[in-house]
């Protein structure tokens, strides 16, 4: 199974979902994630699964709701505007403590925007686009291999915490082809005693009208789970930070560009490294804070007007200056521009 | 063996206790019919009801079967997800007029068009009950609601939508029938239709749809008795009762 296969990011994620045991996929076409439903429409019937091209993103996420309530591993995918439509269902899934995986291959916004990769949906993903006091685990891969690995991991996390897990990858990652070693199944087994259709006369609901404090108590139940996730699931990568004076901070495609900028700057004698959050929620606040000690400045790089920078500032709590370089609307920051900014600090 | 013979009892698929429905509301009647049918066709342990948003949102509390509560209008999509995972279970999507014909129109049409092997029970009372009496897609012309204070005006908001006729344009549904719950003979007919719609699913025939004309005395501003009369005089002429589709598969 260690064979390298050249795969598109979208296809690698889809195959990883099947390896994870996902047998129910419901989706609606939107660029740049179309290879996921297309791949699923071909592959799922081969493994005895179900693919439905839904009438809308809203219907798709609610089909996921039904499949998840029935105890099955289920997934949907979309891109930014489509994820906006799924937020209603995501809030209901969160309320009913139903596990599922949502892949968001983001594009430029707001509105219909464009179809290029963008990182303008960090707020939507990590702050919740839906209503109510809930959280979604958000994982941000930076290459096709991670897109596959994190998708596999997402299913286990979803089942373990009974939560929605979102894969947040921009359109460039979804569309690029890279050699991928498909991950092995973890074969973890989860108790789904709460599901319908297993002869237990179970109810899966999100409405809590009584007693008066019933919903408050439920919110605290969710909070306890979120606290546990924050403790257990903080994923990140650090690179050449030991002796660094400056820290670049970026996720996804921006981080790949930062890596190149680090190499170029290092060759010029500038001591710089990078920190890449992989879990965007929970955000690795503690680790970022610890690794930032002694650095002169942090430069946050995003393909947006600056969204993750708020978490970076929360992490360092004003202990060091945090600068921002970014470009919105589906454009990619160049390593040269990042280098220029860092050189201006010298 | 007692000399007393039981000739009537509460369906085993119903919960004990009371419902929250208003006096004269026909939701309770429809619930009872579904429960009796589940008992009679021996599907109590295999039934999953999808609750709508609206007055019947707590339907799963009134049945001793599995229940899933859907977002407003999404019951057919949720039912689709459940049914695809549990093809041998009986999945019932129970919906009101706002849920089925306004916010959930797309989900309604497409589940029917796919021919999902589910049973949809559509309770049409010509008004939004739970939110306090606003206009529904099925509100009658001239009918006063809290959002049509001068009565429904077709030039402004169009005419009431006929669900059975609309779905009858699709090829995939196997059974479409409109019944009413305003008097005993019609309640008996309604039960027959619901039973048929459930049996179709049990036998794997496909999508079955039963529209039940229902009352909402509270929001119509009428007594229960006058509500039954209003249903008969106003709703039935516009929403003709009867079978629209009974396809042998």
């Amino acid at each position: 199974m260690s064979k390298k296969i050249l795969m598109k990011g979208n296809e690698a994620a889809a195959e990883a979902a099947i390896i994870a045991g996902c047998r129910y996929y419901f989706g609606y076409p939107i660029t740049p994630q179309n290879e996921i439903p297309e791949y699923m429409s071909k592959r799922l019937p081969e493994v005895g699964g179900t693919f439905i091209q839904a009438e809308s993103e809203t219907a798709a996420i609610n089909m996921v709701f039904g499949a998840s309530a029935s105890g099955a591993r289920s997934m949907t995918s979309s891109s930014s505007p489509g994820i906006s439509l799924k937020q209603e269902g995501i809030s209901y899934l969160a309320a009913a403590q139903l596990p599922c995986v949502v892949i968001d291959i983001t594009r430029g916004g707001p509105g219909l925007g464009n179809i290029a990769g963008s990182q303008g949906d960090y707020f939507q993903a990590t702050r919740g686009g839906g209503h109510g006091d809930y959280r979604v685990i958000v994982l941000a891969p930076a290459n096709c291999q991670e897109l596959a690995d994190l998708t596999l991991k997402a299913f286990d996390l979803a089942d373990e915490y009974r939560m929605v897990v979102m894969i947040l990858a921009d359109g460039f990652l979804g569309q690029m082809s890279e050699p991928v070693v498909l991950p092995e199944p973890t074969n973890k087994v989860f108790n789904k005693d709460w599901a319908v259709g297993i002869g237990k006369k179970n109810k899966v609901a999100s409405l809590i009208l009584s007693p008066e404090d019933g919903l408050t108590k439920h919110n605290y139940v969710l909070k306890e789970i979120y606290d546990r996730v924050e403790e257990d699931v903080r994923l990140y990568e650090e690179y050449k930070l030991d002796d660094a004076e400056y820290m670049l901070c970026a996720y996804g495609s921006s981080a790949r560009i930062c890596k190149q900028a680090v190499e170029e700057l290092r060759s010029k004698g500038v001591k710089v490294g990078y920190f890449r959050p992989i879990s965007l929620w929970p955000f690795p606040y503690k680790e970022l804070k610890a690794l930032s000690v002694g650095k002169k400045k942090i430069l946050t790089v995003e393909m947006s007007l600056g969204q993750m920078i708020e978490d970076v500032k929360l992490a360092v709590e004003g202990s060091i200056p945090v600068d921002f370089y970014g470009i919105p609307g589906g454009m990619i920051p160049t390593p040269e521009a990042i280098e220029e900014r860092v050189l201006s600090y010298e | 063996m007692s000399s007393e013979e039981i000739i009537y009892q509460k369906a085993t698929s119903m919960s004990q206790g009371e419902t929250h429905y208003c006096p004269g509301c026909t939701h309770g009647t429809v619930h009872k019919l579904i429960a009796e049918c589940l008992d009679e066709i021996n599907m109590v342990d295999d039934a999953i009801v999808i609750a709508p948003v609206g007055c019947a949102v707590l339907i799963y509390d009134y049945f001793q079967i599995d229940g899933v509560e859907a977002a407003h209008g999404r019951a057919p999509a949720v039912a689709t997800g459940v049914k695809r995972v549990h093809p041998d279970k009986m999945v019932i999507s129970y919906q009101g007029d706002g849920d089925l014909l306004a916010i959930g129109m797309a989900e309604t049409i497409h589940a029917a068009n796919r021919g999902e092997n589910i049973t949809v029970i559509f309770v049409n009372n010509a008004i939004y009950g739970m939110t306090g009496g606003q206009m529904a897609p099925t509100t009658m012309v001239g009918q006063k609601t809290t959002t049509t204070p001068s009565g429904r005006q077709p030039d402004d908001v169009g005419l009431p939508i006929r669900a059975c006729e609309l779905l009858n344009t699709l090829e995939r549904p196997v059974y479409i029938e409109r019944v009413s719950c305003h008097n005993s003979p019609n309640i008996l007919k309604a039960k027959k239709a619901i039973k048929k719609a459930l049996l179709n699913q049990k036998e794997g025939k496909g999508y079955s749809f039963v529209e039940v004309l229902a009352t909402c005395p509270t929001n119509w501003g009428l007594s229960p008795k006058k509500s039954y009369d209003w249903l008969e005089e106003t709703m039935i002429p516009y929403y003709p009762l009867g079978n629209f589709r009974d396809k042998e598969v």
Side-chain angles (χ1 to χ4, degrees):
Chain A
M1 282 291 281
S2 59
K3 199 175 71 175
K4 280 189 175 175
I5 309 168
L6 187 67
M7 289 184 100
K8 257 194 174 183
N10 282 336
E11 292 172 343
E15 185 58 36
I18 288 169
I19 293 168
C22 172
R23 292 295 176 270
Y24 297 89
Y25 173 91
F26 310 97
Y28 187 83
I30 179 171
T31 309
Q33 62 85 54
N34 292 319
E35 292 80 4
I36 300 178
E38 286 167 356
Y39 191 90
M40 287 304 207
S41 72
K42 185 177 63 169
R43 277 288 282 142
L44 275 172
E46 291 174 2
V47 294
T50 293
F51 164 87
I52 296 181
Q53 180 170 327
E55 57 270 29
S56 68
E57 284 93 345
T58 310
I61 190 76
N62 282 286
M63 290 174 187
V64 168
F65 188 102
S68 176
S70 303
R73 280 197 159 175
S74 173
M75 181 176 103
T76 186
S77 64
S78 192
S79 179
S80 311
I83 296 292
S84 296
L85 289 169
K86 290 190 195 293
Q87 295 299 343
E88 174 198 70
I90 290 172
S91 168
Y92 280 72
L93 283 152
Q97 290 183 264
L98 292 179
C100 78
V101 173
V102 177
I103 300 184
D104 182 1
I105 304 295
T106 62
R107 55 190 264 177
L112 204 50
N114 63 21
I115 59 169
S118 178
Q119 294 182 325
D121 296 342
Y122 183 92
F123 286 156
Q124 186 192 47
T126 62
R127 268 53 176 171
H131 61 284
D133 235 339
Y134 74 93
R135 288 291 191 178
V136 165
I137 296 173
V138 184
L139 306 178
N143 54 57
C144 293
Q145 182 66 55
E146 265 192 0
L147 199 37
D149 293 344
L150 291 176
T151 299
L152 185 93
K153 188 180 181 63
F155 281 95
D156 281 348
L157 288 173
D159 279 344
E160 185 170 350
Y161 298 101
R162 291 181 59 185
M163 283 180 71
V164 177
V165 181
M166 181 181 282
I167 301 292
L168 188 74
D170 63 68
F172 299 118
L173 287 170
Q175 289 300 319
M176 73 171 60
S177 293
E178 289 185 303
V180 173
V181 178
L182 288 170
E184 297 281 348
T186 64
N187 297 320
K188 282 190 193 167
V189 179
F190 295 89
N191 178 1
K192 296 194 174 182
D193 263 356
W194 42 264
V196 297
I198 57 170
K200 287 183 173 287
K201 302 190 193 300
N202 282 330
K203 320 285 182 201
V204 175
S206 66
L207 178 75
I208 304 172
L209 292 174
S210 66
E212 197 180 333
D213 64 348
L215 181 59
T216 305
K217 282 183 176 150
H218 180 59
N219 274 299
Y220 283 124
V221 167
L222 297 180
K223 173 75 165 75
E224 213 177 290
I225 296 166
Y226 300 155
D227 286 348
R228 222 156 18 95
V229 174
E230 282 195 276
E231 205 48 53
D232 300 348
V233 192
R234 295 194 306 274
L235 309 173
Y236 63 96
E237 183 201 8
E238 56 171 305
Y239 185 66
K240 296 192 176 174
L241 280 175
D242 284 352
D243 63 339
E245 293 179 345
Y246 305 108
M247 177 196 277
L248 300 180
C249 191
Y251 71 98
S253 289
S254 298
R256 292 173 73 128
I257 298 157
C258 283
K259 202 166 199 172
Q260 195 182 333
V262 166
E263 305 298 3
E264 292 292 330
L265 285 162
R266 286 260 169 192
S267 73
K268 289 172 187 160
V270 183
K271 288 181 176 172
V272 59
Y274 87 35
F275 183 87
R276 174 170 76 94
I278 296 172
S279 59
L280 302 183
W281 194 87
F283 193 85
Y285 291 113
K286 283 183 197 168
E287 290 76 9
L288 176 51
K289 173 82 187 275
L291 288 163
S292 70
V293 172
K295 308 286 181 271
K296 287 181 180 167
K297 197 176 268 200
I298 295 176
L299 175 61
T300 303
V301 179
E302 299 179 59
M303 286 145 54
S304 77
L305 291 172
Q307 299 192 6
M308 185 188 71
I309 188 173
E310 293 190 2
D311 276 329
V312 177
K313 286 179 174 172
L314 282 171
V316 302
E317 296 173 301
S319 58
I320 49 169
V322 179
D323 193 16
F324 177 75
Y325 180 79
I327 184 161
M331 299 294 283
I332 308 173
T334 63
E336 293 75 21
I338 297 165
E339 287 161 43
E340 194 182 322
R341 179 67 66 90
V342 174
L343 288 170
S344 77
Y345 305 149
E346 292 275 278
Chain B
M1 188 76 184
S2 154
S3 61
E4 288 170 4
E5 191 192 348
I6 296 171
I7 56 166
Y8 181 82
Q9 62 183 349
K10 194 168 188 174
T12 63
S13 49
M14 287 223 92
S15 303
Q16 298 304 314
E18 295 170 1
T19 70
H20 69 284
Y21 299 120
C22 304
C25 166
T26 35
H27 268 304
T29 310
V30 184
H31 288 15
K32 189 187 90 155
L33 298 182
I34 294 171
E36 286 178 355
C37 291
L38 288 175
D39 278 31
E40 288 166 22
I41 65 172
N42 199 22
M43 288 302 283
V44 179
D45 294 331
D46 295 301
I48 304 169
V49 66
I50 314 300
V53 169
C55 286
V57 67
L58 296 172
I59 188 171
Y60 45 79
D61 281 348
Y62 306 140
F63 283 83
Q64 300 206 53
I65 60 174
D66 278 328
V68 183
E69 179 195 280
H72 199 27
R74 317 299 175 219
V78 172
T80 298
V82 172
K83 187 69 182 184
R84 295 297 181 113
V85 176
H86 296 304
D88 297 330
K89 301 292 172 187
M90 176 152 291
V91 180
I92 305 162
S93 182
Y94 187 104
Q95 300 177 259
D97 37 46
D99 194 86
L100 188 128
L101 284 177
I103 194 165
M105 178 64 101
E107 285 81 356
T108 296
I109 295 281
H110 287 273
N113 192 48
R114 284 192 300 270
E116 293 292 339
N117 186 28
I118 59 173
T119 303
V120 177
I121 306 294
F122 168 41
V123 177
N124 176 5
N125 62 7
I127 204 156
Y128 281 59
M130 191 167 78
T131 46
Q134 297 82 14
M135 183 189 73
T138 53
T139 289
M140 302 305 298
V141 171
Q143 185 184 342
K144 284 186 180 171
T145 71
T146 59
T147 50
T148 55
S150 321
R152 180 177 188 149
Q153 304 296 326
D155 286 347
D156 190 26
V157 291
L159 289 156
I161 299 174
R162 296 182 178 105
C164 290
E165 288 82 343
L166 191 65
L167 292 177
N168 202 27
T169 63
L170 304 171
E171 296 289 331
R172 293 283 287 162
V174 294
Y175 184 75
I176 302 171
E177 180 145 341
R178 184 182 288 123
V179 295
S180 178
C181 262
H182 70 290
N183 59 27
S184 299
N186 278 289
I187 289 171
L188 291 175
K189 282 185 197 163
K191 182 173 174 181
K192 220 173 137 187
I194 290 169
K195 197 166 180 177
K196 172 88 182 172
L198 294 172
L199 275 171
N200 283 344
Q201 183 181 166
K202 190 178 182 183
E203 291 160 10
K205 287 184 178 171
Y207 182 92
S208 294
F209 183 87
V210 178
E211 174 176 348
V212 187
L213 300 186
T215 56
C216 184
T218 301
N219 288 300
W220 289 357
L222 298 172
S223 69
K225 169 70 176 77
K226 282 184 177 163
S227 293
Y228 300 141
D229 295 342
W230 190 83
L231 186 158
E232 182 157 25
E233 289 157 16
T234 315
M235 290 180 74
I236 290 178
Y238 189 83
Y239 299 115
L241 304 182
N243 182 267
F244 293 81
R245 175 87 56 91
D246 190 1
K247 200 155 76 174
E248 284 308 316
V249 182

